[in-house]
Amino acid sequence: MFYKIISGFFISVVLSSSVLAATVYVSDIQFVAIREGQSNNTRATERGIKSGTPLEVLSKSGGYTRVKTPSGNIGWVADYFLSDDKVSRDLLVNLQTQITTLSKTKITLQDELDEATILTDQLKSDVEKLTSDKSNLEQHLAELNELTQKAQEIVSQNDENAFEISSLKQRLINAQEKADKLQASNEQKWFAIGAGTLLSGLLIGVLIPLNKRKKVNNSSWS
């Protein structure tokens, strides 16, 4: 018997601790009063508690719950006025608030999506323009490379032409020197020929008279 009493005491303590840690809510009834005793005939310690008001549970007994209100008043209230969960009206308000928040969030996300779409289109346009510019630049570079190659070919040809011109100049100088030498030699030859001709003429001019005299002398002797 003693052990049963002890066991019952501990069980009641455990149950009391679990009850004290709980929170209940005023049900969907619009207003509730808490009273000093477990009867509607006892004096009310607080009236006009709205549905959804959280109440701290102090103890339970005979279909009533002893609670403490947010304003600090303590009293009893029938269990059928209470609910372990928030009332459907408050839940509906919370859901409506969440729906409103989600709607605003959706609108915000839609605006951000629209902005992102515009930005994406702008980026696509920029990419297309950059691609076109890149193509034009590559074509321009190709033309520049072609012009550079032609310029190099011209420079190379000019170098070859300059070398040929230099060679021709050297050949001309050599030919001029040879011509000068040949002219000098020809002048010497012509001088020699002229001198020989002159000398020959002189000899002939001297010998012919002598020869005539000799013939005359020979005729006289005869």
Side-chain angles (χ1 to χ4, degrees), residues 110-123:
Q110 185 63 44
D111 292 340
E112 293 178 353
L113 178 60
D114 293 340
E115 292 178 359
T117 302
I118 294 173
L119 180 60
T120 301
D121 293 339
Q122 182 64 39
L123 290 175

Side-chain angles (χ1 to χ4, degrees), residues 131-170:
T131 303
S132 178
D133 292 342
K134 179 183 177 183
S135 178
N136 293 333
L137 180 60
E138 289 176 349
Q139 182 178 358
H140 184 62
L141 289 175
E143 294 175 356
L144 288 178
N145 290 332
E146 184 178 358
L147 291 175
T148 301
Q149 291 178 357
K150 289 182 178 180
Q152 291 177 349
E153 291 176 358
I154 292 173
V155 171
S156 177
Q157 290 177 359
N158 289 336
D159 292 340
E160 293 178 357
N161 293 334
F163 177 76
E164 291 179 358
I165 291 172
S166 177
S167 299
L168 290 174
K169 286 182 177 179
Q170 186 63 39

Side-chain angles (χ1 to χ4, degrees), residues 30-48:
Q30 185 65 27
F31 294 102
V32 174
I34 60 172
R35 300 180 180 275
E36 292 179 346
Q38 299 177 9
S39 172
N40 289 334
N41 297 325
T42 58
R43 186 177 69 85
T45 59
E46 185 173 340
R47 295 180 183 275

Side-chain angles (χ1 to χ4, degrees), residues 27 32-34 37-38 40 62-65 76-83:
S27 63
V32 174
I34 60 172
Q38 299 177 9
N40 289 334
Y64 284 82
T65 300
W76 292 88
V77 62
D79 290 345
Y80 57 79
F81 289 143
L82 303 176
S83 171

Side-chain angles (χ1 to χ4, degrees), residues 191-219:
F191 179 78
I193 291 172
T197 302
L198 180 61
L199 182 60
S200 298
L202 291 173
L203 290 173
I204 291 171
V206 172
L207 292 175
I208 290 175
L210 291 176
N211 189 19
K212 286 181 178 182
R213 289 178 182 179
K214 184 177 179 180
K215 287 181 178 181
V216 171
N217 292 329
N218 290 330
S219 297

